[in-house]
Amino acid sequence: MKSNISKKEKITSIHANLATINVDKTLDYYKNIGFKVLQKFPETGESEWGWVEKDDIRLMFQNKTSLFKEFPELNFQTQGGALTLWFQVENIAEWYENIKDKTKVIRPLGVTPYNGANEFVIIDINGFILHFSDFQLKN
């Protein structure tokens, strides 16, 4: 017997799939700042796609040729895009010390005047801006 009770839909996660020129160099960059490579495709040769993780955060990277073939609507976009990725971080001073010499810091660790959070900002090798903060969002 089929139940008439419906389950409420629920979105359980979001993972950015970001265009890059060179997936392998991007995976190496993220490994260098503390991420773990979860998967890449193909497993041998030049990668078209890869997935990294640090703690509960996952990012995917796909080479532009493959991604733009899959989604031709993206062909007008420039590398890096007009976006920032904002990460909520515990022990931000320790995270900053671990990566500051391994990447380009565009805003060093400091306290923001608008919310009193400790924050810093880096730019990755693809032009993506990564914003790290210990600001606590209120639900």
Side-chain angles (χ1 to χ4, degrees):
M1 176 179 223
K2 189 175 180 181
S3 171
N4 289 333
I5 301 172
S6 66
K7 294 182 180 179
K8 184 175 181 184
E9 70 281 351
K10 179 181 177 183
I11 296 175
T12 60
S13 67
I14 183 171
H15 304 289
N17 187 29
L18 304 170
T20 182
I21 301 294
N22 188 306
V23 173
D24 292 311
K25 285 183 180 178
T26 299
L27 297 178
D28 287 344
Y29 170 86
Y30 279 85
K31 273 179 28 181
N32 190 46
I33 65 167
F35 283 73
K36 175 184 171 186
V37 175
L38 295 177
Q39 188 176 1
K40 63 182 188 171
F41 175 83
E43 291 183 20
T44 59
E46 187 176 334
S47 299
E48 290 183 21
W49 175 86
W51 197 8
V52 297
E53 173 185 64
K54 171 122 178 81
D55 304 316
D56 293 327
I57 303 302
R58 292 183 177 158
L59 298 170
M60 294 182 283
F61 300 96
Q62 189 168 346
N63 77 26
K64 286 177 90 169
T65 304
S66 168
L67 187 62
F68 290 14
K69 183 178 179 182
E70 183 177 353
F71 297 104
E73 299 83 0
L74 295 173
N75 278 304
F76 70 93
Q77 299 294 328
T78 59
Q79 185 64 36
L83 66 94
T84 66
L85 298 174
W86 188 86
F87 299 81
Q88 190 172 3
V89 181
E90 294 176 1
N91 302 315
I92 194 167
E94 182 179 341
W95 175 239
Y96 180 73
E97 287 301 318
N98 285 338
I99 71 168
K100 69 178 180 153
D101 297 326
K102 300 175 183 177
T103 189
K104 182 177 181 181
V105 176
I106 60 174
R107 190 181 307 156
L109 182 63
V111 176
T112 61
Y114 53 88
N115 65 10
N118 294 296
E119 298 182 347
F120 70 93
V121 181
I122 65 174
I123 189 166
D124 83 355
I125 62 171
N126 300 295
F128 294 113
I129 295 186
L130 311 178
H131 187 142
F132 299 94
S133 176
D134 67 0
F135 181 72
Q136 297 295 311
L137 296 173
K138 308 239 187 298
N139 291 337

